[in-house]
Amino acid sequence: MDTIVQTYRLTKRFKDAEVIKPLDFTLKKGEICALIGKNGAGKSTIFKMLSGQIKPTSGDMQLFGKTGKKKARARKRMGFMIETPAFFPDFTAQQNLEYFRIQRGVVDKQRIHEVLEIVDLAKEKKKKFKEYSMGMKQRLGIALCLLSSPDCLVLDEPINGLDAEGIMEIRKLLTKLNQEKHITILISSHILTELELLATRFVFIKNGVVVDDLSKEALVDKSRKQILLKVDDPAKAARVLEQAYVDLQYQVLPDQVITIQNYAEKAGEINRLLVDSGVFVREFRTETLKLEEYFLGLVEGEQQ
């Protein structure tokens, strides 16, 4: 079965607020899929519906092609880290995982050593959880997710609060799990530059609606170049550009800056048009648009 998650018109309403609007979403085997959105966009709500913590208001969901009662069994093939796991502060990593191994009915005791090796915590045998750095705590959380040998990990903000070294460790770990252990990963984060390095697919969500869904290749293509110009009269410049290019995608930013998301190949022509139309161009350059700028334009900016 190549499809891990399939949702059909999935919704979630809390009182009068529809947090997730009809959602059709598919997660395929082998993907590292990044769910991107501002706080309150609905990312955690989607994850909690997948994990069974909350029930959808309407719609349907399949996990590994299973629905109904069979879906609960299929969910055991997934590891979830949606909120920080409640580890015992005075226990070592081994003691904490032994508690959860018994609680979750994992028969193989050797699995504890295996997952601690995978997340590079096997050498920290005597150190108690309360002495762990934030990065070590997050890695232990991932070890807990791996305890039942899942085929898919669902991770909500696993690099939140980490320093640069901790972020790099988590990125390397998740890449290794995906490439060597063939584990599918669904992840959310606010640190978009990291997702750009890690993910193979990017799903943008705003107010409970998926507003774009791109492969890595499509994102690179879509965000390849943009034109940035600083002019004396942005309103006039915008009128001139709109008349010349009907489907122009642009934004007017503070400090008399305009960014143009398409027609990068016509940069010279655009510059000459503005000058010939009496617009004083103070600065003009083409630049690569990063995921962060694309995200801001998509889910925050008022794109024209």
Side-chain angles (χ1 to χ4, degrees):
M1 178 61 66
D2 287 338
T3 302
I4 308 288
V5 175
Q6 178 79 63
T7 73
Y8 303 92
R9 307 290 290 169
L10 202 68
T11 71
K12 184 60 186 178
R13 179 180 289 277
F14 294 106
K15 294 183 179 177
D16 294 333
E18 193 173 32
V19 178
I20 301 297
K21 298 177 176 69
L23 176 72
D24 292 318
F25 171 76
T26 303
L27 179 68
K28 294 287 188 181
K29 184 178 179 180
E31 289 184 316
I32 301 180
C33 179
L35 196 60
I36 303 166
K38 293 167 65 179
N39 279 334
K43 304 186 303 294
S44 293
T45 303
I46 292 170
F47 284 1
K48 286 177 180 177
M49 286 193 287
L50 291 177
S51 70
Q53 290 182 32
I54 60 175
K55 290 184 177 181
T57 303
S58 64
D60 195 16
M61 178 201 315
Q62 289 186 6
L63 302 178
F64 299 94
K66 306 298 183 185
T67 57
K69 292 180 179 178
K70 291 182 179 178
K71 186 169 62 185
R73 187 178 299 172
R75 190 174 276 124
K76 292 180 180 179
R77 296 174 60 186
M78 304 176 76
F80 296 91
M81 192 166 80
I82 295 173
E83 288 159 350
T84 307
F87 290 114
F88 296 99
D90 289 315
F91 279 17
T92 64
Q94 178 129 2
Q95 289 169 329
N96 268 296
L97 292 183
E98 176 63 13
Y99 168 82
F100 285 108
R101 182 189 72 79
I102 295 167
Q103 186 192 55
R104 295 181 180 187
V106 177
V107 176
D108 185 10
K109 289 187 177 184
Q110 182 63 20
R111 184 62 183 163
I112 292 175
H113 177 72
E114 290 173 3
V115 297
L116 289 176
E117 283 281 357
I118 290 169
V119 301
D120 200 24
L121 288 175
K123 295 172 186 172
E124 306 288 351
K125 291 183 178 177
K126 294 183 178 178
K127 189 174 278 191
K128 294 178 179 178
F129 180 75
K130 65 184 179 184
E131 299 167 341
Y132 274 20
S133 68
M134 181 65 79
M136 291 169 73
K137 289 177 178 177
Q138 292 295 80
R139 296 209 309 275
L140 186 58
I142 293 172
L144 177 58
C145 287
L146 294 171
L147 202 55
S148 58
S149 304
D151 296 305
C152 175
L153 291 180
V154 178
L155 308 172
D156 194 10
E157 300 279 356
I159 55 178
N160 199 21
L162 299 186
D163 60 16
E165 185 180 357
I167 289 169
M168 187 175 70
E169 287 173 353
I170 296 291
R171 184 178 77 235
K172 286 166 70 176
L173 170 60
L174 295 180
T175 302
K176 180 181 176 183
L177 290 171
N178 179 256
Q179 293 179 356
E180 295 181 13
K181 305 291 184 182
H182 309 294
I183 294 175
T184 304
I185 297 171
L186 179 59
I187 182 173
S188 75
S189 174
H190 287 96
I191 306 175
L192 305 174
T193 49
E194 277 306 307
L195 292 180
E196 197 169 7
L197 293 170
L198 174 68
T200 59
R201 177 181 164 204
F202 304 85
V203 177
F204 296 87
I205 184 168
K206 179 179 182 180
N207 299 327
V209 176
V210 171
V211 289
D212 213 342
D213 186 342
L214 301 169
S215 67
K216 181 129 187 165
E217 294 76 16
L219 180 76
V220 168
D221 186 57
K222 185 170 261 195
S223 62
R224 184 166 290 141
K225 292 284 186 183
Q226 73 168 0
I227 298 170
L228 184 145
L229 53 145
K230 187 177 281 194
V231 296
D232 64 334
D233 189 343
K236 182 179 178 181
R239 284 197 303 274
V240 169
L241 291 169
E242 282 185 350
Q243 286 170 2
Y245 305 97
V246 178
D247 58 343
L248 192 77
Q249 297 171 12
Y250 72 93
Q251 289 177 279
V252 179
L253 303 176
D255 301 322
Q256 298 177 305
V257 170
I258 296 175
T259 60
I260 301 171
Q261 281 72 51
N262 55 355
Y263 289 107
E265 72 282 358
K266 296 185 181 293
E269 181 184 297
I270 288 171
N271 191 22
R272 188 168 61 251
L273 172 67
L274 291 171
V275 172
D276 290 348
S277 301
V279 177
F280 179 58
V281 181
R282 292 195 178 91
E283 185 180 345
F284 191 104
R285 68 174 189 267
T286 58
E287 60 183 15
T288 302
L289 183 70
K290 301 294 184 185
L291 176 58
E292 192 135 11
E293 282 87 26
Y294 182 79
F295 162 73
L296 292 173
L298 194 65
V299 304
E300 290 186 352
E302 295 300 320
Q303 196 157 325
Q304 301 297 316

